[in-house]
Amino acid sequence: MSLQLRTAAANNKSSGLRHLLAALTFFCLFSLATRLSAQIAYTPDWPSLDARPIPAWYADAKFGIFVHWGVYSVPAFGPTGGDDIYVKYAEWYWKRWQEGQPAFAKHHAETYGPTVTYPDFARDFTAGNWDPDAWAKLFKQAGAQYVVLTSKHHDGFALWPSAQAWNWNAAELGPNADVCGVLAKAVRDEGLRMGYYYSLYEWFNPLYLDSVPAYVEQHMLPQLYDLVNRYEPDVVWTDGEWEYPSETWRAPEFLAWLYNESPVKSKVVVNDRWGKETRGKHGGYYTTEYGLVHDGKADETLEARPWEECRGIGGSFGYNKQETLEHYSTSEELVHTLIDVVSRGGNLLLNVGPTADGRIPVIMEQRLTDIGTWLARNGEAIYGTRAAGVVSNDERVRFTRKGDRMYAILTAWPEDGKLTLPNLGDYKWREARLLGRDTVLAADKKRTAITLPPLEPDLGQWAWVVELR
Ligand code: GLC
């Protein structure tokens, strides 16, 4: 063998060795990394818990349905006027009546008299006309991607066979059914995600009134673990957190379990109501309610995380029989609310309040169906989008963005038939089209004025989308 050949052979051998070594090192490092990452656990403190990325399905979903249904659906009463948004909530009936709020006290005295108690209402919470599949179909038709049901509101009545609420749940009283489980099945069969609202505090639970730590240990935490293990929710939507800090509720401990070990650790999404100090600051996504955070101020910190606005179609979450057409938002208003929220990077969780016998009031059904009609045509500008970071001087035009596309959503058809674009920053586009039409729209030289086609009935109502790409 010539010297050259021998050197080449030796080189080959040593490069083979080197490859082997490199592969071995890579393998060792890789298995170490996987082992480490399996061990990297969220610890029960806010800096660690807040660092968990919110599963992407949530910010893509954009539109969910909130359902407030319970014993309060029997009296279904709340005052309809006034500036205090919270006093209109019919689901607060027990508390408002007990504290002597004039409208509730008067209504109770005149309608039921002093001998009828709130727990007496449970037997009339019959769910006799409840068709869970029809609810789920309606939510799907509305274009919603997820549903959040009140598993337990502040009155403590559980909509599932909770061992902790042994004398006060829907399997033993009223519906005689596992409402949480039955609805989850129907909703998932329609391809939607299922979540639960859960009130941390209970107004009149003797254990809560006697010892909060005992209540948390023996009642609240077991219920939360039970809900998660039984129904594997996509959303855990807590509330009623404001009387105590998150530490008292042992919320960080629960969340560390939820994120590290629970059966839903990779998909579950939670909100920010985990203690009196947490709203808009800690947890998963931030929440607003009728546009406000709990202290009654509008929230300015929203952009920091995914967030969600929740509200009723009327002024209450629980069904309120006192409400008439004038108290309900129109379909146009609701579509505009959805657009406004989504253009600011949020989700809308729109509430329905079913009746005690399980019907979704026709007016609510109609509003949901209308939103669904609009979304079927224009959903491309909503689902999976993010705030475009573009603000138009014209309030009536909102922007969303998805990949290389930008959507200008017009909540009014411009009188001059032109869409005027604001400064789009770095964003460049080649073509503009109106959703529902194939033709490329003409623009002026500066590309700031786009000429729209004639507005024809098949384009639908309430809002129209120009897609830029
Ligand atoms: C609240 C209320 C309530 C309603 C809710 C929805 O803070 O107490 O009745 O369930 O939040 O956001």
Side-chain angles (χ1 to χ4, degrees), residues 66 68 86 89 91-92 150 153-154 197 237 239-240 242 273 279 289 294 310 317:
F66 216 175
H68 274 64
Y86 304 111
Y89 292 178
E91 70 277 12
W92 274 68
T150 47
H153 207 264
H154 313 324
Y197 166 107
W237 210 106
D239 186 37
W242 50 82
R273 303 185 179 185
R279 272 199 212 193
E289 187 172 319
H294 195 247
C310 68
F317 288 94

Side-chain angles (χ1 to χ4, degrees), residues 71-82 84-97 101-108 111-112 118 121 290 314-324 327-328:
V71 173
Y72 44 80
S73 312
V74 173
F77 172 87
T80 54
D84 184 343
I85 64 161
Y86 304 111
V87 113
K88 298 179 192 173
Y89 292 178
E91 70 277 12
W92 274 68
Y93 189 96
W94 196 3
K95 175 82 165 150
R96 296 294 185 220
W97 164 50
Q101 200 286 334
F104 287 87
K106 179 165 183 287
H107 177 81
H108 195 86
T111 318
Y112 305 105
Y118 182 85
F121 290 141
Y290 286 93
S316 173
F317 288 94
Y319 179 50
N320 182 0
K321 286 176 192 164
Q322 304 294 112
E323 287 184 331
T324 61
H327 303 111
Y328 286 90

Side-chain angles (χ1 to χ4, degrees), residues 27 54 81 115 152 220-221 230 289 327 354 360 396 444:
F27 178 75
I54 297 177
T115 56
K152 182 195 86 173
M220 189 204 93
L221 284 176
R230 257 185 217 250
E289 187 172 319
H327 303 111
I360 291 175
R396 297 166 307 174
D444 68 340

Side-chain angles (χ1 to χ4, degrees), residues 294-457:
H294 195 247
D295 53 10
K297 284 192 298 244
D299 194 352
E300 280 123 37
T301 59
L302 287 181
E303 314 299 313
R305 271 178 107 77
W307 63 280
E308 177 184 80
E309 155 75 357
C310 68
R311 60 190 305 133
I313 298 176
S316 173
F317 288 94
Y319 179 50
N320 182 0
K321 286 176 192 164
Q322 304 294 112
E323 287 184 331
T324 61
L325 195 54
E326 66 168 307
H327 303 111
Y328 286 90
S329 298
T330 62
S331 298
E332 178 173 55
E333 285 164 346
L334 294 169
V335 166
H336 289 184
T337 299
L338 175 67
I339 293 166
D340 171 53
V341 166
V342 172
S343 75
R344 292 186 291 121
N347 283 18
L348 177 65
L349 184 64
L350 186 65
N351 179 79
V352 295
T355 59
D357 70 344
R359 289 168 298 112
I360 291 175
V362 177
I363 191 74
M364 300 185 191
E365 183 185 347
Q366 192 261 346
R367 298 299 193 252
L368 293 193
T369 311
D370 278 351
I371 297 172
T373 303
W374 186 84
L375 277 169
R377 199 178 265 124
N378 301 290
E380 205 185 314
I382 298 291
Y383 303 120
T385 64
R386 298 293 180 266
V390 170
V391 183
S392 169
N393 285 335
D394 185 347
E395 264 274 290
R396 297 166 307 174
V397 187
R398 299 304 175 97
F399 292 86
T400 61
R401 188 163 174 180
K402 181 159 54 189
D404 64 349
R405 308 204 178 170
M406 175 103 69
Y407 301 96
I409 312 179
L410 290 66
T411 60
W413 191 264
E415 271 165 31
D416 61 358
K418 287 198 164 57
L419 162 65
T420 309
L421 293 176
N423 182 350
L424 299 182
D426 292 343
Y427 182 75
K428 298 272 174 293
W429 54 279
R430 295 183 316 276
E431 274 177 19
R433 280 195 174 79
L434 187 72
L435 289 192
R437 291 283 179 274
D438 286 334
T439 37
V440 174
L441 302 176
D444 68 340
K445 274 218 190 80
K446 284 196 260 155
R447 299 172 74 67
T448 53
I450 296 174
T451 307
L452 301 168
L455 175 59
E456 278 160 335

